[in-house]
Amino acid sequence: MAALLAPLAACSSGASPSAGDSAAGNSPGGKGTSGGADRPVTVTVTPRGQQVAAGEPVRVTATGGTLTSVTVTDAEGHRLTGRAAADGRSWVSDRKAVPGTAYAVTAATRSAAGTAKSTKTAFTTAGADKVNKVDWRPGAGATVGVAQPISLVFDNPVGNRAEVEKQLSITTSDGTEGSWGWITDWSGRDRVDWRPRTYWKPGTKVTLNAELNGTDSGKDGGWFVRDYSTAFTVGARQIVKVDLDRHQLALVRDGETVRRIPVSGGTPGGDRRSWRGTAVLMAKEGTINMNSETVGLANAYNKMVDYSMRLTWSGMYAHAAPWNARYFGNTNHSSGCIGMSDANAAWFYGQVRPGDPFEITGKDTKGVVAPGNGFGAWNLSWSEWQEKSALR
């Protein structure tokens, strides 16, 4: 259950009797100007009952008077905030009722003649028959490179994409322009990424608030039963330019080339070629076992590899490759990764951070990195990326 906030303040339009009532000498429980008895206010709350469907706002209406305050509280004491209409006759919660929750509603009212009253009611929502969860990047408190997207991968399908996207809010310290785009993750799951129009400005502070609690994913997706949030900072502007035709990479920081490193890319002419386009450093994984059978290259290799930096889910890395030393700077002769000497790899590993873009060029490659193969959204034009939003 997400934190729920304070109750509605009293509505000014119904806070006191009108001037005409005052002149007539009316008092609470007395006669109105027409001489009729003061009629009680009727309060209606929806949803109502037991085990009702979740996923809708709570609505409170008053007939024969106005609402002066509304409090909606769950069993844990969390309050659901909301807004009243200008005439004070209706109120609607900001958030939706969530699955498997008991709510108590207290509505304070004032009749046309000024009588104050409090009405209490309750309802419960049915539990979620299926729950959808989210895996998101980057993690809270991270400092990332200028190409890092905000990425949410869902456990179950998301059919109600527009409704889900409405609950996702991005706040930046400098008003960065960006857009959500729905894609298929390399794992086959539904995913939505937010990327800026251009690379982030260094120093930008970014916050994601995904207020998904109580949102239905759609058919076969289940309910979201919690909110998600993360905040991170953008670090220095570092771009790694990889030229596979010249067999070298250059680390460019704030427009200045820091170092050029001789490398060897993927072997031309087949499945061992490298990807081109913009890949984004996903993670620095250190020393890992690389087995060619896991990426569809039969038994070409199975070894421990140092200074491993993941660029795609399909298995392209930059890493130390001392066994390929004779090819650095002159020939592409790897199984798709970007290899370099131990010394250069150790230095380079210490300089880069997740979110740094690798802009890869070369004539004989196996294609452009797809949006869902790591963070390949930068290989789409801005207009192409915007079209992937469910709210366009």
Side-chain angles (χ1 to χ4, degrees):
M1 169 68 63
L4 305 174
L5 307 180
L8 172 74
C11 304
S12 60
S13 61
S16 61
S18 68
D21 288 338
S22 190
N26 287 340
S27 61
K31 303 290 185 180
T33 56
S34 63
D38 182 19
R39 296 181 180 179
V41 180
T42 301
V43 174
T44 303
V45 177
T46 55
R48 59 183 175 179
Q50 304 299 309
Q51 300 298 301
V52 299
E56 295 294 335
V58 179
R59 301 180 187 276
V60 182
T61 59
T63 303
T66 56
L67 298 163
T68 57
S69 70
V70 174
T71 304
V72 181
T73 311
D74 69 13
E76 297 178 355
H78 300 138
R79 291 178 175 179
L80 194 62
T81 61
R83 301 175 185 273
D87 61 7
R89 297 184 185 277
S90 63
W91 180 96
V92 61
S93 64
D94 297 324
R95 301 288 302 273
K96 302 167 185 174
V98 303
T101 304
Y103 290 99
V105 182
T106 301
T109 60
R110 191 177 300 277
S111 70
T115 301
K117 185 180 178 181
S118 180
T119 301
K120 295 185 177 182
T121 188
F123 68 92
T124 63
T125 55
D129 55 356
K130 189 174 187 178
V131 173
N132 206 346
K133 297 180 181 179
V134 180
D135 178 28
W136 71 97
R137 296 186 182 208
T143 298
V144 301
V146 296
Q148 176 70 52
I150 300 163
S151 184
L152 283 69
V153 181
F154 302 93
D155 280 6
N156 302 323
V158 180
N160 295 337
R161 291 185 171 185
E163 188 63 23
V164 168
E165 192 173 328
K166 288 177 185 177
Q167 313 308 316
L168 308 178
S169 173
I170 301 295
T171 304
T172 69
S173 59
D174 58 6
T176 301
E177 181 184 5
S179 176
W180 290 103
W182 289 86
I183 57 179
T184 300
D185 186 63
W186 187 257
S187 65
R189 294 181 292 172
D190 284 346
R191 171 174 146 192
V192 64
D193 285 7
W194 194 96
R195 53 151 277 203
R197 181 169 187 166
T198 58
Y199 292 157
W200 296 102
K201 293 181 180 178
T204 303
K205 297 185 181 301
V206 187
T207 301
L208 161 69
N209 284 311
E211 295 185 335
L212 292 171
N213 196 4
T215 302
D216 183 4
S217 299
K219 183 180 179 181
D220 299 325
W223 291 88
F224 295 100
V225 296
R226 59 162 289 190
D227 294 336
Y228 299 84
S229 65
T230 189
F232 60 92
T233 302
V234 180
R237 182 179 176 85
Q238 294 193 140
I239 299 173
V240 181
K241 295 184 178 292
V242 182
D243 187 336
L244 295 176
D245 293 334
R246 299 178 64 188
H247 318 293
Q248 70 171 19
L249 70 74
L251 177 62
V252 181
R253 182 180 299 141
D254 298 326
E256 299 293 330
T257 300
V258 179
R259 182 183 289 192
R260 298 184 188 276
I261 295 175
V263 299
S264 180
T267 303
D271 290 341
R272 298 177 68 193
R273 292 174 294 175
S274 299
W275 294 104
R276 70 176 184 275
T278 299
V280 177
L281 179 55
M282 301 176 66
K284 295 163 66 174
E285 298 180 3
T287 300
I288 62 173
N289 175 254
M290 290 191 181
N291 186 331
S292 57
E293 293 182 351
T294 65
V295 292
L297 293 178
N299 61 350
Y301 57 87
N302 184 2
K303 62 182 66 180
M304 301 303 294
V305 180
D306 295 330
Y307 305 112
S308 298
M309 296 161 272
R310 180 182 284 274
L311 298 176
T312 70
W313 284 126
S314 62
M316 187 166 92
Y317 285 79
H319 60 75
W323 56 88
N324 252 5
R326 66 185 180 277
Y327 300 115
F328 298 149
N330 60 72
T331 307
N332 290 323
H333 197 270
S334 78
S335 294
C337 293
I338 300 165
M340 63 197 84
S341 71
D342 281 337
N344 281 329
W347 177 88
F348 186 66
Y349 191 91
Q351 300 298 310
V352 295
R353 60 166 53 94
D356 285 346
F358 281 57
E359 297 178 350
I360 306 167
T361 59
K363 294 177 183 178
D364 196 351
T365 60
K366 58 185 175 183
V368 174
V369 177
N373 188 8
F375 300 132
W378 296 103
N379 295 307
L380 300 179
S381 69
W382 176 237
S383 60
E384 289 173 330
W385 181 251
Q386 287 179 299
E387 288 299 319
K388 291 188 172 294
S389 167
L391 299 179
R392 290 286 170 178

mmCIF file of all heavy atoms in Angstrom, residues 61-82:
data_model
loop_
_atom_site.group_PDB
_atom_site.id
_atom_site.type_symbol
_atom_site.label_atom_id
_atom_site.label_comp_id
_atom_site.label_asym_id
_atom_site.label_seq_id
_atom_site.Cartn_x
_atom_site.Cartn_y
_atom_site.Cartn_z
ATOM 1 N N THR A 61 -20.726 11.933 -2.936
ATOM 2 C CA THR A 61 -21.627 13.011 -3.359
ATOM 3 C C THR A 61 -22.588 13.346 -2.233
ATOM 4 O O THR A 61 -22.935 12.488 -1.402
ATOM 5 C CB THR A 61 -22.433 12.616 -4.611
ATOM 6 O OG1 THR A 61 -23.197 11.443 -4.329
ATOM 7 C CG2 THR A 61 -21.510 12.333 -5.786
ATOM 8 N N ALA A 62 -23.018 14.588 -2.196
ATOM 9 C CA ALA A 62 -23.976 15.069 -1.193
ATOM 10 C C ALA A 62 -25.200 15.623 -1.900
ATOM 11 O O ALA A 62 -25.073 16.453 -2.808
ATOM 12 C CB ALA A 62 -23.339 16.143 -0.318
ATOM 13 N N THR A 63 -26.384 15.164 -1.499
ATOM 14 C CA THR A 63 -27.644 15.667 -2.036
ATOM 15 C C THR A 63 -28.377 16.410 -0.935
ATOM 16 O O THR A 63 -28.552 15.866 0.168
ATOM 17 C CB THR A 63 -28.517 14.507 -2.552
ATOM 18 O OG1 THR A 63 -27.784 13.773 -3.528
ATOM 19 C CG2 THR A 63 -29.807 15.033 -3.172
ATOM 20 N N GLY A 64 -28.789 17.648 -1.207
ATOM 21 C CA GLY A 64 -29.484 18.443 -0.206
ATOM 22 C C GLY A 64 -28.566 19.246 0.690
ATOM 23 O O GLY A 64 -28.999 19.762 1.727
ATOM 24 N N GLY A 65 -27.298 19.362 0.331
ATOM 25 C CA GLY A 65 -26.338 20.135 1.118
ATOM 26 C C GLY A 65 -24.966 20.053 0.498
ATOM 27 O O GLY A 65 -24.820 19.707 -0.686
ATOM 28 N N THR A 66 -23.940 20.353 1.281
ATOM 29 C CA THR A 66 -22.571 20.341 0.777
ATOM 30 C C THR A 66 -21.657 19.538 1.686
ATOM 31 O O THR A 66 -21.962 19.317 2.865
ATOM 32 C CB THR A 66 -22.005 21.770 0.663
ATOM 33 O OG1 THR A 66 -22.105 22.410 1.949
ATOM 34 C CG2 THR A 66 -22.756 22.584 -0.374
ATOM 35 N N LEU A 67 -20.550 19.099 1.118
ATOM 36 C CA LEU A 67 -19.510 18.406 1.860
ATOM 37 C C LEU A 67 -18.558 19.440 2.442
ATOM 38 O O LEU A 67 -18.079 20.322 1.725
ATOM 39 C CB LEU A 67 -18.747 17.456 0.941
ATOM 40 C CG LEU A 67 -19.552 16.318 0.310
ATOM 41 C CD1 LEU A 67 -18.788 15.734 -0.884
ATOM 42 C CD2 LEU A 67 -19.850 15.231 1.338
ATOM 43 N N THR A 68 -18.277 19.334 3.731
ATOM 44 C CA THR A 68 -17.279 20.229 4.325
ATOM 45 C C THR A 68 -15.937 19.540 4.515
ATOM 46 O O THR A 68 -14.908 20.190 4.588
ATOM 47 C CB THR A 68 -17.767 20.781 5.673
ATOM 48 O OG1 THR A 68 -18.081 19.702 6.554
ATOM 49 C CG2 THR A 68 -19.003 21.648 5.461
ATOM 50 N N SER A 69 -15.930 18.219 4.591
ATOM 51 C CA SER A 69 -14.676 17.462 4.567
ATOM 52 C C SER A 69 -14.976 16.009 4.277
ATOM 53 O O SER A 69 -16.080 15.519 4.560
ATOM 54 C CB SER A 69 -13.893 17.575 5.887
ATOM 55 O OG SER A 69 -14.552 16.874 6.923
ATOM 56 N N VAL A 70 -13.996 15.323 3.693
ATOM 57 C CA VAL A 70 -14.101 13.890 3.432
ATOM 58 C C VAL A 70 -12.788 13.236 3.838
ATOM 59 O O VAL A 70 -11.711 13.728 3.474
ATOM 60 C CB VAL A 70 -14.389 13.602 1.938
ATOM 61 C CG1 VAL A 70 -14.351 12.097 1.678
ATOM 62 C CG2 VAL A 70 -15.732 14.184 1.519
ATOM 63 N N THR A 71 -12.881 12.145 4.587
ATOM 64 C CA THR A 71 -11.703 11.379 4.971
ATOM 65 C C THR A 71 -11.906 9.926 4.554
ATOM 66 O O THR A 71 -12.913 9.318 4.907
ATOM 67 C CB THR A 71 -11.455 11.434 6.486
ATOM 68 O OG1 THR A 71 -11.351 12.799 6.904
ATOM 69 C CG2 THR A 71 -10.175 10.705 6.850
ATOM 70 N N VAL A 72 -10.963 9.407 3.772
ATOM 71 C CA VAL A 72 -10.988 8.001 3.371
ATOM 72 C C VAL A 72 -9.727 7.352 3.917
ATOM 73 O O VAL A 72 -8.610 7.782 3.591
ATOM 74 C CB VAL A 72 -11.052 7.848 1.839
ATOM 75 C CG1 VAL A 72 -11.109 6.377 1.450
ATOM 76 C CG2 VAL A 72 -12.262 8.597 1.275
ATOM 77 N N THR A 73 -9.903 6.331 4.770
ATOM 78 C CA THR A 73 -8.779 5.733 5.481
ATOM 79 C C THR A 73 -8.798 4.227 5.317
ATOM 80 O O THR A 73 -9.859 3.605 5.372
ATOM 81 C CB THR A 73 -8.854 6.073 6.984
ATOM 82 O OG1 THR A 73 -9.074 7.473 7.151
ATOM 83 C CG2 THR A 73 -7.571 5.691 7.687
ATOM 84 N N ASP A 74 -7.612 3.641 5.101
ATOM 85 C CA ASP A 74 -7.562 2.181 5.038
ATOM 86 C C ASP A 74 -7.333 1.599 6.425
ATOM 87 O O ASP A 74 -7.224 2.339 7.418
ATOM 88 C CB ASP A 74 -6.505 1.713 4.035
ATOM 89 C CG ASP A 74 -5.076 1.999 4.468
ATOM 90 O OD1 ASP A 74 -4.848 2.333 5.650
ATOM 91 O OD2 ASP A 74 -4.163 1.886 3.624
ATOM 92 N N ALA A 75 -7.246 0.286 6.518
ATOM 93 C CA ALA A 75 -7.145 -0.382 7.817
ATOM 94 C C ALA A 75 -5.854 -0.058 8.547
ATOM 95 O O ALA A 75 -5.766 -0.217 9.771
ATOM 96 C CB ALA A 75 -7.289 -1.890 7.630
ATOM 97 N N GLU A 76 -4.834 0.400 7.811
ATOM 98 C CA GLU A 76 -3.556 0.749 8.432
ATOM 99 C C GLU A 76 -3.479 2.224 8.801
ATOM 100 O O GLU A 76 -2.443 2.701 9.266
ATOM 101 C CB GLU A 76 -2.410 0.392 7.485
ATOM 102 C CG GLU A 76 -2.315 -1.112 7.201
ATOM 103 C CD GLU A 76 -1.198 -1.446 6.231
ATOM 104 O OE1 GLU A 76 -0.572 -0.495 5.706
ATOM 105 O OE2 GLU A 76 -0.954 -2.634 5.985
ATOM 106 N N GLY A 77 -4.547 2.957 8.582
ATOM 107 C CA GLY A 77 -4.574 4.365 8.942
ATOM 108 C C GLY A 77 -4.074 5.311 7.877
ATOM 109 O O GLY A 77 -4.005 6.524 8.100
ATOM 110 N N HIS A 78 -3.733 4.772 6.700
ATOM 111 C CA HIS A 78 -3.303 5.643 5.601
ATOM 112 C C HIS A 78 -4.510 6.320 4.977
ATOM 113 O O HIS A 78 -5.549 5.692 4.765
ATOM 114 C CB HIS A 78 -2.566 4.836 4.531
ATOM 115 C CG HIS A 78 -1.339 4.158 5.034
ATOM 116 N ND1 HIS A 78 -1.012 2.866 4.683
ATOM 117 C CD2 HIS A 78 -0.368 4.577 5.871
ATOM 118 C CE1 HIS A 78 0.112 2.523 5.271
ATOM 119 N NE2 HIS A 78 0.526 3.544 5.999
ATOM 120 N N ARG A 79 -4.376 7.589 4.657
ATOM 121 C CA ARG A 79 -5.488 8.358 4.120
ATOM 122 C C ARG A 79 -5.359 8.561 2.613
ATOM 123 O O ARG A 79 -4.265 8.737 2.090
ATOM 124 C CB ARG A 79 -5.579 9.718 4.822
ATOM 125 C CG ARG A 79 -6.020 9.598 6.277
ATOM 126 C CD ARG A 79 -6.062 10.958 6.955
ATOM 127 N NE ARG A 79 -6.606 10.850 8.304
ATOM 128 C CZ ARG A 79 -6.742 11.869 9.136
ATOM 129 N NH1 ARG A 79 -6.374 13.087 8.744
ATOM 130 N NH2 ARG A 79 -7.245 11.684 10.337
ATOM 131 N N LEU A 80 -6.492 8.524 1.955
ATOM 132 C CA LEU A 80 -6.572 8.721 0.519
ATOM 133 C C LEU A 80 -6.995 10.166 0.262
ATOM 134 O O LEU A 80 -8.086 10.573 0.649
ATOM 135 C CB LEU A 80 -7.596 7.750 -0.063
ATOM 136 C CG LEU A 80 -7.632 7.526 -1.566
ATOM 137 C CD1 LEU A 80 -6.324 6.933 -2.050
ATOM 138 C CD2 LEU A 80 -8.782 6.608 -1.929
ATOM 139 N N THR A 81 -6.109 10.946 -0.334
ATOM 140 C CA THR A 81 -6.432 12.340 -0.586
ATOM 141 C C THR A 81 -7.382 12.483 -1.761
ATOM 142 O O THR A 81 -7.537 11.564 -2.567
ATOM 143 C CB THR A 81 -5.171 13.168 -0.879
ATOM 144 O OG1 THR A 81 -4.540 12.636 -2.035
ATOM 145 C CG2 THR A 81 -4.213 13.135 0.298
ATOM 146 N N GLY A 82 -8.005 13.651 -1.873
ATOM 147 C CA GLY A 82 -8.928 13.877 -2.972
ATOM 148 C C GLY A 82 -9.250 15.341 -3.149
ATOM 149 O O GLY A 82 -8.707 16.203 -2.447
#
